[in-house]
Amino acid sequence: MQFGATTLTPAEESLRAEVRDFLAAELPADHRPALGFAGRYDPDFSRKLAARGWVGMAIPPEYGGHGRSAVERFVVAEELLAAGAPIGAHFVADRQTGPTLLHFGTEEQRRRFLPGIAAGEIYFSLGMSEPDSGSDLASVRTRATRVDGGWTVTGTKVWTSEAHRNHFFAVLCRTSPMEEGRKHAGLSQLIVDLHADGVTISPIPYLDGSHHFNEVALEDVFVPDDMVLGEIGSGWQQVTSELAYERSGPDRWLSTFPVLREFVREGAGKAVADDEATVIGRLAARAWAIRALSLSVARALDAGEVPAIEAALVKEVGTRFEQDLVEALRGAAETEVDQGTGTLFQQLLAEAVLTSPSYTLRGGTTEILRSVAAKGLA
C-alpha cells in the first residue's frame, strides 16, 4: 500500500476557479449549505452542472461524457462539497455507477445509461448492504433465480440512499449457492429498476425526521438478461473494484466542512480564544492531510490502478474526521440548540449532530475498513 505525493496542475487550479465562479452565480445569497453529497436532492441543479460538463466528467465523449480525469472530477466535487451544493440527485451515479458501467457493463448498457448519467438525468442507488449482515458484505442472502429470459430476484437491501427518488440500483445478489469456505463465489450484480413490480421501498429516517436511507424489499422482481452487470459469478471482484471510487473521494471527509466554515465566519473580527484557535488549527491540519491522501488515490485511478486498500484507509480516517469535527466544534462553541434555530452555524451544527453517526456506516464501517487496511499492510 502506498500514497504518492501529488499537487494540482495550473489547469486543475483554473478549473477550481471556474467552479467557484459558477457557485457564486448559481447559489442564492441565503443558500443553506448541504452536509455532504446526501444533504440536498435537487435535479435542476444537477442538470445545470451537467450543462457545464461537470457531471459524468470521466465518461468518454462517445457515451455523452467529457473524457476528463479522476483528478479533475476530484477538484469539482471538492468545491461542490465545500460549498454545500445540492448534489444528492446525481452524485452516486456520477461517482460510482458510471465508472462501473465503463469497466464491466455491456456496450448496450453503456449506451442506454451513460448519456443520461452525464446529462444529470438518470440517478442510481447502490444495493449492497442487507439486514442482519452487519459489515459482512459477502453474507448476501438476496437471491437471483434463473428464469426464461432473465432472473427473478428476492431479498432485502438496507441503507439504500435515495431509492425512493432514484431510477435504478445495482444489486449484489447470490446467483449460485454458497460453497463451503468460498462465500465470495457465486455473487453477481444486476441492474434493477426501482419502479419495477415487486419492489417495495420503506424509509429509514434520520433522528431529525429527514429521509435519505431506505430499506428496499424485492419480491420475485424480474430482471432481464441484458441487465446483468458484468459476468455472472464475478460480483465480488466487481464490487471490490467499485469501492475504490466510493471510499476515496472528498465526499468522505468534507461532509461537515460547512459547519467549520460557518464557525470561522461567525468568529471573524472577534477575539478568538486560544482553545478555539487550537481547535481550528488541528481540524484544518487533519483535513489537509486527508485531502492529500484522497488526491493521491485520484491520481492512482487516472494511472489505471485499483487502489482499494488505499481507498479504504481514506474512508476510515475521513469519516472519523467528519464526526470528530462535529464534537470538537460542539465543545469549542459551548452551545446546544434545536435544529432550525439560532445562527447558521448553530443550525448546521445541530443538523450534523443528528446525521453524522451515519458517516462511519455508509461505504463500509470503521472496523471493516481497518481490517482491509491491515491486510494490505501485512
Side-chain angles (χ1 to χ4, degrees), residues 300-325:
L301 290 170
D302 280 335
E305 300 173 23
V306 184
I309 296 170
E310 290 86 348
L313 183 57
V314 170
K315 201 275 181 184
E316 197 278 336
V317 298
T319 50
R320 275 197 300 113
F321 165 73
E322 291 177 320
Q323 293 177 336
D324 291 347
L325 183 151

Side-chain angles (χ1 to χ4, degrees), residues 244-369:
Y245 294 94
E246 180 180 359
R247 290 173 170 169
S248 64
D251 49 304
R252 296 308 183 188
W253 48 275
L254 277 175
S255 297
T256 49
F257 178 82
V259 188
L260 175 61
R261 184 182 57 206
E262 292 306 320
F263 178 72
V264 173
R265 281 180 175 173
E266 290 188 11
K270 301 177 183 177
V272 179
D274 289 344
D275 56 343
E276 289 185 4
T278 299
V279 167
I280 293 169
R282 287 176 175 170
L283 291 173
R286 285 181 67 186
W288 195 251
I290 297 167
R291 178 184 183 274
L293 299 178
S294 182
L295 181 57
S296 173
V297 173
R299 287 279 188 224
L301 290 170
D302 280 335
E305 300 173 23
V306 184
I309 296 170
E310 290 86 348
L313 183 57
V314 170
K315 201 275 181 184
E316 197 278 336
V317 298
T319 50
R320 275 197 300 113
F321 165 73
E322 291 177 320
Q323 293 177 336
D324 291 347
L325 183 151
V326 174
E327 292 306 310
L329 293 183
R330 285 179 75 182
E334 298 181 342
T335 182
E336 292 287 347
V337 296
D338 293 328
Q339 193 173 14
T341 64
T343 66
L344 179 56
F345 161 70
Q346 291 172 324
Q347 294 177 45
L348 292 175
L349 178 63
E351 181 180 346
V353 167
L354 294 176
T355 60
S356 63
S358 71
Y359 299 165
T360 47
L361 174 66
R362 63 192 189 201
T365 63
T366 298
E367 293 75 15
I368 289 297
L369 295 168

Side-chain angles (χ1 to χ4, degrees), residues 162-181:
E162 302 294 355
H164 58 302
R165 294 191 276 202
N166 288 346
H167 304 113
F168 301 92
F169 74 148
V171 175
L172 182 66
C173 55
R174 189 161 291 285
T175 47
S176 61
M178 184 183 298
E179 302 175 25
E180 184 67 30

